[in-house]
Amino acid sequence: MLKVLVIAVAIGLLLWLLFGRGARNAEPPRGSKHSPPDGAEAMVACAHCGVHLPRSEALAARSLHYCSAAHRDAPGDAPPHP
Ligand SMILES: [Zn+2]
């Protein structure tokens, strides 16, 4: 009778180790590879001078973003080299 109890406890412990802790580890980390948190806006870099500004304030042209119309219309607007 005692053997059955020991085996049952051992199986329960094994299941807890396999699923109880495994499920917790399998939980995806929070706040990673998702859209920015509420209130934070995506930032873009001006293709002319490299300054960062919120996407809503940037001027988009030719799939690039600019901080101002002057930079958007400026010649030689290749992305700045780091
Ligand atoms: Zn600029």
Side-chain angles (χ1 to χ4, degrees):
M1 195 64 187
L2 191 62
K3 274 186 184 175
V4 175
L5 186 65
V6 169
I7 291 172
V9 169
I11 291 175
L13 191 65
L14 193 66
L15 289 174
W16 176 76
L17 286 171
L18 286 175
F19 298 107
R21 290 169 38 156
R24 201 175 299 167
N25 290 340
E27 199 172 295
R30 290 183 180 181
S32 66
K33 295 183 179 179
H34 285 293
S35 57
D38 294 339
E41 191 172 355
M43 301 293 283
V44 295
C46 173
H48 186 79
C49 67
V51 72
H52 285 76
L53 66 161
R55 185 186 290 271
S56 64
E57 296 179 20
L59 297 173
R62 300 183 294 275
S63 76
L64 295 173
H65 295 91
Y66 299 89
C67 65
S68 64
H71 283 179
R72 181 193 60 194
D73 299 335
D77 55 357
H81 296 286

